[in-house]
């Protein structure tokens, strides 16, 4: 068994610059088993750049990314996914013309890792289908399995994003603004769901919705101008003078 | 049965019944036209896997069509002149046997698709269109300058190649061969679209980011699709050369690539029977309008414009409506 204090996901001294703009400056953060770690910061702080480097879309100039104790810095997105990184996007990245079930089966197919079967039926494959249906049930989309993804509401697409990530049975989730565009009730429902998800795998999430962050996060890291200025519990971050000045505003 | 299945069955039946009727009426020319439709539709079925399912706008599929044609031309010309293709390191002789020619055409076009695809799939969008076009043109000019196999004049084959148990010189029997191969390719294509591979390829077209995030490589999926696509178009090329008993660099020209794409757009992109409807419409128009004017392509262009602007689903899409989501 892994030591609960061993980070599942970790960045070590990541630096990334675009010309003169230092988007990531010596960023080290970790995600431990069973926790939700929220990454907050004002617009343009470099959150998306950091997430892209963790998920594999961008290569850091220096520093490394570790998943389950193994250095994955050199691996492309697909290989990191195979090693257990489940990711959801700020703007839903789904096969919109396909049905909800097909999207979930696609995730199961990725997890299984044998896509070059030309003659079998994808939806007729009991193994793939079971994984997909379980994931849909988990997020509460089982009744929409046969709907076209493009016909789903915004909130349902968010749920489907999570369901597809679930089919991978990931070791860690990386979620880019899961609450974005959700109304108050949708946001509340997803908060409840994510709360139960952390038992399965820890979640690193970028989020602007402070109610959700304060309700969910075990730890919060604050990113400002490419630097982590503070990491700590909700209470610590609320009380942190620099954070209050940079982000929350004096009266927070 | 969905409406689209009904339309597809009607199309397949029509393509079978028209030449049978022509056979009864002793109209061999009509049978030849139907054969041409079947072969060009087969080329389109090949391209449709890359274009429709994979979203890969290849303007270089003439390369595979031509390779298939030259596979037939080279093998048959050596067989008819009783000369070996090479005697070192091993003796390779020509052949007049269709199944062997098909196999060579499939392998050669598959290999070419692997090389072309491996390079061009690193690009996307307009660059992909341009690089596939460039590869097609390379083959075109290579064929023109290849004097050993006729250069610009191409190669004529005096007698159609043979198929065990059939008289291929009889138009209706040759039609039967092409029709069966077309049906086989359609069946394969239909299964492919529903397979795990088809699902992943189709998703890579819609959202490559998603496919990467679940641990699959869009590049590899597309490369396999491109190879399969090129092989089917290559097989069609071998049959087309056999139909005309003639192969020339024209098969490699970019106009050929464009025509194969036109079949798909006219018939309905990503629709199983799109290439069949498109090729049939193309040949009918060529036959009717071509008799009226040398410049019948003007009308084809107009029709294409109308389809692109007002009927994006092509013939099949207009008749069958929106594609049903799989259950």
């Amino acid at each position: 068994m892994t030591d609960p204090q061993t980070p599942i996901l970790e960045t070590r001294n990541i630096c990334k610059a675009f010309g003169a703009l230092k988007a990531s400056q010596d960023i080290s953060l970790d995600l431990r088993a069973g926790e939700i770690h929220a990454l907050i910061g004002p617009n343009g702080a470099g959150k998306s750049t950091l997430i892209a480097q963790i998920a594999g879309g961008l290569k850091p100039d220096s520093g490394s990314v570790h998943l389950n104790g193994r250095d994955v810095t050199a691996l492309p997105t697909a290989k990191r996914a195979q090693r257990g990184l489940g990711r959801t996007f700020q703007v839903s990245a789904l096969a919109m013309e396909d049905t909800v079930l097909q999207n979930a089966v696609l995730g199961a197919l990725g997890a299984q890792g044998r896509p070059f079967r030309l003659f079998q039926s994808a939806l007729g494959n009991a193994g793939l289908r079971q994984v997909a249906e379980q994931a849909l049930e988990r997020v509460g989309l089982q009744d929409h399995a046969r709907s076209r993804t493009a016909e789903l509401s915004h909130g349902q697409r968010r749920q489907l994003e999570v369901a597809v990530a679930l089919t991978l049975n990931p070791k860690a989730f990386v979620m880019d603004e899961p609450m974005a565009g959700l109304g108050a009730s949708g946001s509340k429902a997803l908060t409840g769901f994510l709360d139960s998800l952390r038992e399965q795998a820890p979640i690193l999430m970028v989020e602007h919705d402070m109610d959700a962050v304060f309700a969910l996060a075990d730890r919060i890291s604050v990113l400002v101008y490419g630097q982590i200025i503070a990491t700590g519990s909700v209470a610590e971050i609320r009380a942190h003078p620099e954070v209050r000045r940079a982000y929350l505003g004096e009266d927070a | 049965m969905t409406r689209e299945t009904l339309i597809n069955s009607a199309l397949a039946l029509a393509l079978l019944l028209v030449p049978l009727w022509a056979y009864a009426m002793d109209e061999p020319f009509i049978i030849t036209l139907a054969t041409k439709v079947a072969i060009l539709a087969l080329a389109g079925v090949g391209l449709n896997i890359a274009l429709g399912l994979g979203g890969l706008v290849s303007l270089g599929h003439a390369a595979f069509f031509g390779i298939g044609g030259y596979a037939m031309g080279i093998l048959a010309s050596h067989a008819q002149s009783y000369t070996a293709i090479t005697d070192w390191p091993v003796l390779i002789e020509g052949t007049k046997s269709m199944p062997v020619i098909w196999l060579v055409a499939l392998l050669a076009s598959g290999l070419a698709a692997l090389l072309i695809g491996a390079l061009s799939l690193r690009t996307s969008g307009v660059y992909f269109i341009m690089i596939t076009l460039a590869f097609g043109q390379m083959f075109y000019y290579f064929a023109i300058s290849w004097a050993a196999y006729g250069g610009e004049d191409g190669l004529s084959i005096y007698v159609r190649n043979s198929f065990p148990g059939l008289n291929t010189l009889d138009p209706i029997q040759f039609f039967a061969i092409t029709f069966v191969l077309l049906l086989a390719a359609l069946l394969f294509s239909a299964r492919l679209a529903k397979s795990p591979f088809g699902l992943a390829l189709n998703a890579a077209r819609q959202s490559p980011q998603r496919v990467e995030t679940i641990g699959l490589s869009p590049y590899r999926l597309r490369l396999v699709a491109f190879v399969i696509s090129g092989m089917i178009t290559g097989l069609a090329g071998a049959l087309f050369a056999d139909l005309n008993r003639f192969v020339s660099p024209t098969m490699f020209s970019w106009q050929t690539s464009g025509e194969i794409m036109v079949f798909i757009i006219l018939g309905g992109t990503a629709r199983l029977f799109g290439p069949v409807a498109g090729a049939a419409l193309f040949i009918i128009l060529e036959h009717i309008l071509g008799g009226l004017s040398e410049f019948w392509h003007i009308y084809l262009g107009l029709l294409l414009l109308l389809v692109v602007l007002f009927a994006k689903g092509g013939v099949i899409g207009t008749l069958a409506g929106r594609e049903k989501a799989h259950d």
Side-chain angles (χ1 to χ4, degrees):
Chain A
M1 278 311 287
T2 47
D3 171 12
Q5 286 312 307
T6 309
I8 307 281
L9 184 64
E10 190 185 5
T11 69
R12 290 183 196 160
N13 312 103
I14 279 188
C15 294
K16 178 84 190 172
F18 300 103
L21 176 72
K22 288 175 180 162
S24 305
Q25 295 183 52
D26 200 28
I27 295 180
S28 297
L29 56 82
D30 60 8
L31 181 67
R32 299 177 198 146
E35 78 167 345
I36 293 182
H37 189 156
L39 185 64
I40 64 171
N43 284 326
K47 300 185 297 290
S48 296
T49 305
L50 179 60
I51 292 293
Q53 292 173 88
I54 292 171
L58 274 178
K59 278 222 158 36
D61 296 335
S62 64
S64 56
V65 180
H66 299 257
L67 182 60
N68 259 333
R70 289 164 82 173
D71 188 342
V72 296
T73 318
L75 298 182
T77 308
K79 287 263 156 50
R80 294 188 197 192
Q82 286 168 13
R83 302 231 170 146
L85 196 74
R87 188 186 177 191
T88 69
F89 294 91
Q90 183 180 354
V91 177
S92 294
L94 297 161
M96 288 294 171
E97 297 167 24
D98 290 354
T99 62
V100 169
L101 181 63
Q102 279 176 315
N103 271 286
V105 166
L106 178 71
L109 179 64
Q112 203 183 48
R114 289 184 294 127
F116 296 103
R117 280 168 293 167
L118 311 183
F119 297 102
Q120 289 178 20
S121 158
L123 296 182
N125 184 308
L128 291 177
R129 198 156 173 152
Q130 198 192 351
V131 172
E133 280 168 351
Q134 270 173 4
L136 289 179
E137 209 162 311
R138 186 83 196 278
V139 301
L141 277 178
Q142 65 275 24
D143 295 337
H144 298 278
R146 300 176 72 147
S147 311
R148 233 179 246 272
T149 305
E151 288 158 7
L152 293 185
S153 71
H154 184 76
Q156 287 169 327
R157 286 183 202 171
R158 302 253 85 139
Q159 288 171 291
L160 181 54
E161 283 257 335
V162 177
V164 175
L166 270 172
T167 59
L168 301 175
N169 200 10
K171 306 274 190 297
F173 289 101
V174 174
M175 299 189 177
D176 198 353
E177 295 199 35
M179 308 293 170
L182 291 183
S185 65
S187 177
K188 205 165 188 176
L190 193 57
T191 302
F193 177 69
L194 294 182
D195 197 19
S196 71
L197 198 61
R198 80 179 97 195
E199 294 306 316
Q200 184 167 347
I203 305 171
L204 176 67
M205 68 171 182
V206 171
E207 190 49 68
H208 279 301
D209 181 338
M210 283 302 141
D211 292 336
V213 167
F214 289 145
L216 283 171
D218 298 290
R219 286 191 298 156
I220 300 174
S221 288
V222 185
L223 192 65
V224 178
Y225 294 123
Q227 276 177 311
I228 303 248
I229 60 167
T231 296
S233 69
V234 172
E236 283 164 0
I237 293 300
R238 273 183 192 271
H240 199 288
E242 235 181 304
V243 175
R244 292 172 74 111
R245 199 167 50 242
Y247 190 67
L248 295 172
E250 285 302 334
D251 54 342
Chain B
M1 209 196 273
T2 66
R3 195 152 150 200
E4 184 165 348
T5 320
L6 213 66
I7 292 165
N8 291 349
S9 315
L11 263 174
L13 204 64
L15 184 57
L16 179 63
L17 290 181
V18 168
L20 284 179
W21 167 82
Y23 179 70
M25 294 286 115
D26 198 23
E27 295 264 11
F29 179 66
I30 304 276
I31 303 177
T32 302
L33 281 186
T35 311
K36 207 168 161 186
V37 169
I39 293 171
L40 294 179
L42 181 65
V45 169
L47 178 60
N48 208 17
I49 290 174
L51 179 68
L53 208 55
L56 307 170
V57 185
S58 162
L59 204 49
H61 260 51
F64 314 124
F65 196 63
I67 286 170
Y70 271 84
M72 171 284 190
I74 291 170
L75 288 169
S77 70
H78 279 282
Q80 76 184 4
S81 64
Y82 301 102
T83 52
I85 293 172
T86 177
D87 50 13
W88 195 90
V90 284
L91 179 70
I92 300 176
E93 291 184 311
T95 177
K96 295 284 286 177
S97 159
M98 273 189 198
V100 178
I101 289 170
W102 296 346
L103 193 68
V104 173
L106 284 169
L107 290 176
S109 49
L111 189 67
L114 184 67
L115 293 174
I116 294 176
L119 292 170
S120 45
L121 286 169
R122 296 187 184 281
T123 67
S124 63
V126 77
Y127 299 101
F128 179 77
I129 300 177
M130 284 298 132
I131 197 168
T132 50
L133 174 65
F135 274 114
Q137 291 301 91
M138 275 167 60
F139 278 96
Y140 175 68
Y141 285 107
F142 180 76
I144 281 186
S145 57
W146 203 5
Y149 293 110
E152 220 164 335
D153 300 328
L155 288 167
S156 281
I157 304 302
Y158 308 128
V159 182
R160 191 169 283 153
N161 296 303
S162 59
F163 189 88
L166 290 177
N167 172 16
T168 54
L169 282 171
D170 181 3
I172 196 77
Q173 295 193 37
F174 184 60
F175 168 78
I177 291 174
T178 60
F179 185 71
V180 168
L181 286 175
L182 173 64
L183 284 189
L186 284 168
L187 197 69
F188 170 73
S189 182
R191 292 211 67 154
L192 190 77
K194 297 198 170 190
S195 70
F197 175 73
L199 182 74
L201 178 66
N202 201 14
R205 172 177 63 80
Q206 298 172 58
S207 175
Q209 208 178 19
R210 162 58 55 206
V211 170
E212 280 184 338
T213 315
I214 55 138
L216 301 178
S217 152
Y219 175 78
R220 280 198 215 164
L221 292 164
R222 288 175 182 150
L223 185 57
V224 171
F226 198 72
V227 169
I228 294 170
S229 167
M231 287 172 87
I232 296 176
T233 302
L235 177 63
L239 292 168
F240 190 73
D242 233 330
L243 171 69
N244 301 324
R245 280 169 268 172
F246 173 65
V247 52
S248 77
T250 316
M251 283 183 75
F252 279 120
S253 73
W254 66 269
Q255 286 94 334
T256 305
S257 295
E259 275 178 14
I260 303 174
M261 200 177 288
V262 165
F263 305 152
I264 294 179
I265 296 168
L266 278 183
T269 312
R271 298 305 185 103
L272 182 61
F273 268 68
V276 181
L281 190 60
F282 185 91
I283 295 298
I284 292 169
L285 286 177
E286 182 182 43
H287 184 58
I288 297 172
L289 297 176
L292 297 176
S293 162
E294 202 183 323
F295 304 109
W296 72 278
H297 281 97
I298 294 173
Y299 304 105
L300 179 71
L302 197 64
L303 181 69
L304 201 59
L305 208 62
L306 289 175
V307 166
V308 172
L309 287 177
F310 302 112
K312 283 204 182 106
V315 173
I316 304 280
T318 308
L319 294 177
R322 199 167 158 206
E323 201 168 13
K324 191 175 156 285
H326 304 148
D327 52 14

